[in-house]
Every structure is written in structure tokens, then in C-alpha cells.
């Protein structure tokens, strides 16, 4: 069985759905990668109004995670999760391609 290009965990899907409902937007989370951050690249999350034609799309419980083709090269095989801990709650990317990360969890290098 082929591993999906990207995966949205059920907890992340539930959180995106709740945020989107509050803001009256579609339940579409866009993950992109930008240069910068403490380790070379950083993850950027935002609600999207629609998916683009060339987006890679994963769907969990009716919520879509979309990634553009350029960013997909850097997050292939990743799982986007939503975790709550004593330090707060946040979306977290479990990226098997990341060689190093940083303490903040939003930056990585390949």
C-alpha cells in the first residue's frame, strides 16, 4: 500500500473544522513551507478559501489539508497533528524528511 503524500490526523481535522466553523470559512487547512526560521525552513498554516488545481490534498473527516507542489517536495510523507500540552496547543508537523528541527517545532532542515 502506497503511503499518502500528506496526512491530516483526526485531532487536527477536528480543530480545523472548529476554527473554520467559527470564522464561517471552508474547512481547508493550507500547509506551506517558507525559507527562514531557526533551522532553515519553517511551516506556515492558514485557512484557505479554496484549493488550487495543482494542490496535493488529504482529507480526514470532511476536512481538507492542502499543500502546493513546491512545498510538497519538503513535506512528502508528513503527518499534520494537533497537540495540546502544558506548553499550549498547536498544530505539529511530523516530517520524516526533516534531518533536524528546533525547540519551537515550527522550523526544520533537510
Amino acid at each position: 500500500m502506497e503511503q499518502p503524500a500528506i496526512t491530516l490526523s483526526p485531532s487536527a481535522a477536528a480543530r480545523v473544522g472548529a476554527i473554520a466553523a467559527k470564522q464561517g470559512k471552508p474547512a481547508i487547512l493550507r500547509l506551506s513551507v517558507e525559507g527562514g526560521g531557526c533551522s532553515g525552513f519553517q511551516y506556515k498554516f492558514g485557512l484557505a478559501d479554496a484549493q488550487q488545481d495543482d494542490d496535493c490534498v488529504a482529507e480526514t473527516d470532511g476536512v481538507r489539508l492542502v499543500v502546493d507542489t513546491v512545498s510538497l517536495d519538503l513535506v512528502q510523507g508528513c503527518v499534520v497533528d494537533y497537540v495540546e500540552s502544558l506548553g499550549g496547543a498547536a498544530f505539529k508537523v511530523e516530517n520524516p524528511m526533516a534531518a533536524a528541527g528546533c525547540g519551537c517545532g515550527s522550523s526544520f532542515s533537510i
Side-chain angles (χ1 to χ4, degrees), residues 10-98:
S11 62
R15 184 65 183 151
V16 171
I19 293 169
K22 260 187 205 170
Q23 295 185 10
K25 292 189 164 203
I28 303 171
L29 178 68
R30 177 167 297 282
L31 167 62
S32 57
V33 176
E34 297 179 343
C38 17
S39 293
F41 295 103
Q42 60 187 356
Y43 302 112
K44 184 175 176 201
F45 291 101
L47 287 180
D49 291 322
Q51 69 187 58
Q52 305 300 314
D53 290 339
D54 61 347
D55 282 340
C56 178
V57 180
E59 191 165 324
T60 302
D61 301 332
V63 176
R64 286 178 281 172
L65 169 65
V66 296
V67 179
D68 63 90
T69 53
V70 174
S71 296
L72 185 61
D73 287 344
L74 298 168
V75 296
Q76 187 82 30
C78 79
V79 176
V80 174
D81 198 7
Y82 181 75
V83 292
E84 294 185 38
S85 67
L86 291 175
F91 289 103
K92 179 182 174 199
V93 178
E94 295 168 17
N95 188 341
M97 292 178 36

